[in-house]
Amino acid sequence: MTDTAFTQAAPRGFKEFFKPRGERMHWTDYVTYGYLIIGVLVMLLPVLWVVIGSLKSPANLSEYPPTLMPMATQTIVVDGHPDPLPLFEVTQDDGTVKTLAQIRRVGIRAQMIDPDDPAAEPSVVDVAKAKPIRSFNPTFDNYKDLLRTAGDTIWRSIYNSAFITIVATLITLVINSMAAFALSKFRFTGSTFALVLILATLMVPATIILVPIYLINSQLGLVNSLWGVILPVLATPTGVFLLRQYMLTIPDELLEAARMDHASEWQIYWRIVLPLTTPALAVVAIFSIMSRWNDFLLPLIVLNTKDSQTLQLALAGFKTEQGIEWHLLLAMTTITALPLAFIFLFLQRYITTGIASSGVK
Amino acid sequence: MTNGAMSSAVGALASLPARAVEPFWKWAQRRLGMKALPWLFLLPNLLIIFTFALIPVAINVVFSITGSDNLYPSQRPFIGLSNYRTLADCGNFLDPSTCSRDLFWRAVGNSLLFVPLQTLAMVGVALMTAIALNKKIRARGFFRGVFFFPVMLSPVVVAMTWQWLLQRNGVLNAIISLFGANRASWLADPNLAFFWSIFVTVWAHCGFFMIILLAGLQSIPTDVYEAAKMDRASPFRVFWKVTIPLLRPVLLVVFVLAVIRSVQTFDEIYVLTGGGPGSATMLVVQYIYETGFAQQPRNYGLAAAGSLILGFVLLIFTLVQLRISRGEND
């Protein structure tokens, strides 16, 4: 006891830090860390680069080579000029460097003024000798611009995506758990048939029945309706299977006791079995939220109007409409990814164990 | 998300709808009896499955053997296997330009190249990462999270992200020009675009398979490794003689899942390259989408025939998977 306390309190060297159990670093450990660090760069930096980009001004974004951080030219308010003027470091003929503010630029020459001496005559400077003074300056203007220029459309898309995700997930949980309840807590003729039928839909991926789903949606009047995207994938076979396996572990004595007390089967399902199935429901909910928020192909086919489009469709259609306006596009990309990034941040452990336990089945 | 908080939330929700639907269920239970009641619980699920999975498969068959651009099966004239014949109408199967539907065969060719390469890369990366993350290392949770989080990103976000990195004035070109290389048009060159379509899909999905493999690795008892250590076996030997054989069942399932997913790839590449340049990155699902929905006039029959061929291929893979998982369980 005291021994371990002592070793932990002792100062630890570089190698011990990377090897928690006090073993020696093996060459495979170096390879592992090398691989993981490269992996982190490859996995993390692209997304970070988009977020950084979304905080850059359009002028900063169009620069090549790109700046690492959002940079903006410093400006200063000079007497006698209504707008703030950009600051430049100008190399004088004698080699000294002077800070000047630019009034206007004509071709390769710029008219500049000394901010400390606004009354003096402006001097004409060769642009090649002037270097803008820049500082770290993230801006949220892209987001503001996006919400302003896209106006109602983007709020509409956010609403549509949120509506589809929330409503579809709630209904998925209810109807899948109802089916799982029937398949786990009742003995009835045809139960195996029903289970096989539900699992058989695993073999019918949505990608190959696009045309008929479009036809059925149009027959039901659901084209351009959010319900046309919600209904087709409400019954998820993996969800039913996962919930059923979990419900099988709930002891039948609990249900018998409730039946003795004259509870109806619905009450047993809703008041007893469902609350006990919470962990499995959480896994199914996360899966549903993920796939609904990120879904692209089904909305692409069913939703054709601006009013009904989801955030994903809006994002994908963004560049075809107004050329590529990267500053707006990057802000939009960040907004689209944000909700799930937050969910992931808080539920990381549950999500990964959920996939590990259900992915194989 | 503690269990207690979740279940109290469920409990609070539970009291509301229960009051509204209980009378109906009590009545239904009295009328149906305990034998038929389970079917009432199954009803919503089965209704959705019939409407949006089983009936569509039947309609798909009808579509594929009828013609015209009319959406309603009753108004589509019967044309037999003509759609399939059109798809298969090739002078020389190895040369798509001799086919009447050359884009279909280009898409098939692309998929035939894409699926094995992408699956191998995907499973390879996922396996390496899982093995690295199964070692006793610092910040394992952090690393695991980093490799997994692209799975949460939508395909469109993934595609936009990489488009931003790979554009001509993008950061990748800036980095390689630091080393003196010339700027490349990554998505405008057919071969490079094909490479990036594989790279990006692996980047986006390897975390999913990594987690499954990690779960498999963690179910391998540690004393097997202890024994190998006692025998002073080299890491490579341990990998080939211990890890791989014991991981085989999980590895096989991951392989089949990866193939099934790979065959269905659409979103990322459609947004990243649009199937281009030319038709260099067009895969089968995109061909089906374009024929059935993007082109004028929409050719539902041809799209349905293509879907059924794709469905048939997926069916074979699924059967193989079932066979494998059953074989491993015995």
Side-chain angles (χ1 to χ4, degrees):
Chain A
M1 186 67 198
T2 47
D3 197 38
T4 53
F6 176 75
T7 45
Q8 270 176 9
R12 315 180 66 184
F14 170 78
K15 288 182 180 174
E16 283 76 14
F17 177 79
F18 290 101
K19 203 70 198 177
R21 286 202 314 186
E23 294 165 25
R24 282 181 51 207
M25 283 283 277
H26 190 251
W27 67 264
T28 54
D29 293 319
Y30 290 103
V31 173
T32 304
Y33 275 110
Y35 174 79
L36 287 180
I37 286 164
I38 293 171
V40 166
L41 295 181
V42 174
M43 302 312 275
L44 214 51
L45 287 189
V47 176
L48 218 55
W49 188 244
V50 167
V51 178
I52 292 172
S54 75
L55 300 173
K56 288 178 177 175
S57 68
N60 192 194
L61 273 178
S62 60
E63 280 172 44
Y64 184 86
T67 56
L68 197 58
M69 284 291 140
M71 301 295 254
T73 307
Q74 276 183 12
T75 56
I76 191 167
V77 178
V78 181
D79 285 347
H81 297 276
D83 297 322
L85 301 176
L87 277 175
F88 284 81
E89 270 181 346
V90 180
T91 315
Q92 305 288 38
D93 292 336
D94 55 6
T96 58
V97 176
K98 210 168 157 191
T99 305
L100 293 178
Q102 175 178 289
I103 300 171
R104 67 177 69 85
R105 184 181 153 174
V106 185
I108 58 158
R109 306 214 162 261
Q111 223 179 11
M112 297 214 181
I113 195 166
D114 188 349
D116 298 330
D117 186 14
E121 193 71 7
S123 51
V124 176
V125 176
D126 191 346
V127 185
K129 289 182 178 158
K131 214 176 104 220
I133 300 176
R134 313 218 295 172
S135 59
F136 175 68
N137 188 11
T139 168
F140 285 98
D141 287 353
N142 297 339
Y143 292 91
K144 286 182 203 149
D145 272 9
L146 177 70
L147 296 180
R148 195 169 40 79
T149 54
D152 289 343
T153 325
I154 184 164
W155 288 113
R156 187 80 211 170
S157 309
I158 291 174
Y159 168 81
N160 289 344
S161 278
F163 181 85
I164 290 169
T165 307
I166 294 169
V167 171
T169 301
L170 288 178
I171 303 179
T172 300
L173 290 180
V174 171
I175 70 169
N176 281 356
S177 63
M178 278 167 67
F181 177 63
L183 293 171
S184 63
K185 293 297 170 203
F186 290 92
R187 267 168 227 274
F188 60 103
T189 35
S191 65
T192 320
F193 171 72
L195 183 64
V196 169
L197 194 70
I198 289 171
L199 290 180
T201 55
L202 265 179
M203 295 198 213
V204 189
T207 39
I208 67 164
I209 47 170
L210 288 175
V211 179
I213 282 190
Y214 184 79
L215 167 70
I216 287 172
N217 268 331
S218 78
Q219 291 287 55
L220 296 173
L222 295 178
V223 170
N224 290 327
S225 150
L226 299 183
W227 291 99
V229 180
I230 293 174
L231 290 180
V233 267
L234 278 179
T236 59
T238 41
V240 174
F241 188 74
L242 200 78
L243 293 170
R244 174 180 173 268
Q245 295 303 93
Y246 200 89
M247 285 179 185
L248 285 174
T249 65
I250 298 174
D252 286 338
E253 288 79 12
L254 219 55
L255 280 64
E256 288 305 326
R259 285 187 186 119
M260 293 291 205
D261 292 342
H262 298 289
S264 73
E265 294 303 314
W266 174 262
Q267 282 172 319
I268 291 173
Y269 155 72
W270 193 263
R271 297 257 167 93
I272 297 172
V273 174
L274 209 54
L276 288 174
T277 319
T278 312
L281 284 173
V283 173
V284 177
I286 290 167
F287 272 110
S288 166
I289 291 170
M290 246 164 79
S291 60
R292 289 317 181 101
W293 183 267
N294 291 338
D295 198 11
F296 180 67
L297 189 54
L298 189 58
L300 182 67
I301 281 157
V302 177
L303 308 173
N304 302 313
T305 58
K306 259 200 143 54
D307 270 353
S308 66
Q309 72 180 355
T310 62
L311 212 45
Q312 309 293 342
L313 292 181
L315 181 57
F318 206 76
K319 57 177 177 173
T320 48
E321 276 167 36
Q322 46 253 93
I324 299 190
E325 291 193 61
W326 278 113
H327 66 291
L328 300 180
L329 188 62
L330 293 177
M332 181 105 176
T333 307
T334 312
I335 289 180
T336 311
L338 222 50
L340 286 191
F342 270 111
I343 292 179
F344 178 65
L345 221 56
F346 292 113
L347 301 181
Q348 196 245 109
R349 189 188 317 206
Y350 299 94
I351 296 170
T352 47
T353 46
I355 285 181
S357 61
S358 63
V360 184
K361 281 162 184 161
Chain B
M1 188 193 64
T2 61
N3 270 346
M6 271 295 266
S7 33
S8 71
V10 170
L13 269 176
S15 65
L16 283 174
R19 219 165 282 155
V21 296
E22 244 166 51
F24 164 75
W25 280 89
K26 280 203 166 125
W27 172 82
Q29 193 173 338
R30 258 201 323 277
R31 292 293 301 267
L32 293 172
M34 288 296 274
K35 283 290 168 207
L37 191 67
W39 289 104
L40 195 58
F41 276 100
L42 283 166
L43 187 68
N45 221 282
L46 295 181
L47 218 55
I48 297 286
I49 285 174
F50 269 103
T51 320
F52 293 103
L54 299 182
I55 296 176
V57 172
I59 295 178
N60 229 355
V61 176
V62 175
F63 266 125
S64 76
I65 53 173
T66 52
S68 93
D69 61 346
N70 203 310
L71 188 57
Y72 301 101
S74 59
Q75 293 163 36
R76 295 172 60 85
F78 176 78
I79 55 166
L81 295 178
S82 171
N83 279 324
Y84 295 95
R85 235 174 273 134
T86 310
L87 284 179
D89 182 18
C90 280
N92 172 9
F93 278 100
L94 294 177
D95 180 9
S97 60
T98 62
C99 300
S100 69
R101 286 282 153 176
D102 59 330
L103 265 186
F104 177 73
W105 287 99
R106 273 179 221 280
V108 169
N110 288 339
S111 288
L112 283 178
L113 202 60
F114 179 86
V115 172
L117 289 177
Q118 201 259 3
T119 309
L120 275 178
M122 175 93 87
V123 178
V125 171
L127 181 63
M128 279 199 294
T129 314
I131 287 173
L133 290 176
N134 196 38
K135 286 175 79 84
K136 289 202 163 45
I137 48 166
R138 284 262 154 191
R140 214 153 63 155
F142 165 76
F143 284 120
R144 226 175 265 183
V146 164
F147 279 93
F148 182 78
F149 93 97
V151 177
M152 301 284 292
L153 297 177
S154 77
V156 187
V157 166
V158 168
M160 287 298 173
T161 300
W162 283 95
Q163 220 166 40
W164 169 232
L165 267 72
L166 297 175
Q167 54 151 335
R168 201 167 158 69
N169 286 335
V171 68
L172 189 70
N173 272 334
I175 292 172
I176 64 161
S177 52
L178 282 183
F179 298 99
N182 281 330
R183 279 203 259 179
S185 305
W186 298 110
L187 297 175
D189 175 289
N191 291 328
L192 288 175
F194 193 81
F195 165 79
W196 284 109
S197 65
I198 291 177
F199 183 93
V200 170
T201 47
V202 170
W203 182 87
H205 298 295
C206 71
F208 177 84
F209 298 101
M210 180 269 289
I211 290 290
I212 300 175
L213 287 170
L214 195 57
L217 283 173
Q218 285 177 348
S219 66
I220 298 177
T222 48
D223 47 348
V224 189
Y225 287 108
E226 300 290 335
K229 209 176 208 175
M230 295 293 239
D231 293 342
R232 294 186 172 275
S234 79
F236 290 109
R237 234 183 121 69
V238 174
F239 176 75
W240 286 114
K241 299 285 173 183
V242 179
T243 308
I244 292 294
L246 288 174
L247 199 61
R248 228 179 66 102
V250 182
L251 206 53
L252 280 174
V253 171
V254 162
F255 238 107
V256 179
L257 281 181
V259 170
I260 292 175
R261 269 226 187 160
S262 185
V263 175
Q264 293 187 61
T265 307
F266 168 72
D267 329 35
E268 284 99 349
I269 299 175
Y270 177 69
V271 180
L272 186 72
T273 67
S279 56
T281 55
M282 162 139 14
L283 302 182
V284 175
V285 177
Q286 191 186 339
Y287 175 82
I288 293 169
Y289 165 73
E290 306 241 310
T291 330
F293 296 96
Q295 275 171 9
Q296 288 299 338
R298 297 176 167 196
N299 198 335
Y300 297 119
L302 216 53
S307 305
L308 284 178
I309 295 172
L310 183 70
F312 184 71
V313 173
L314 285 171
L315 182 70
I316 292 171
F317 282 125
T318 312
L319 290 179
V320 169
Q321 187 210 0
L322 283 180
R323 189 69 187 267
I324 288 168
S325 52
R326 192 178 310 147
E328 297 299 338
N329 285 341
D330 283 347

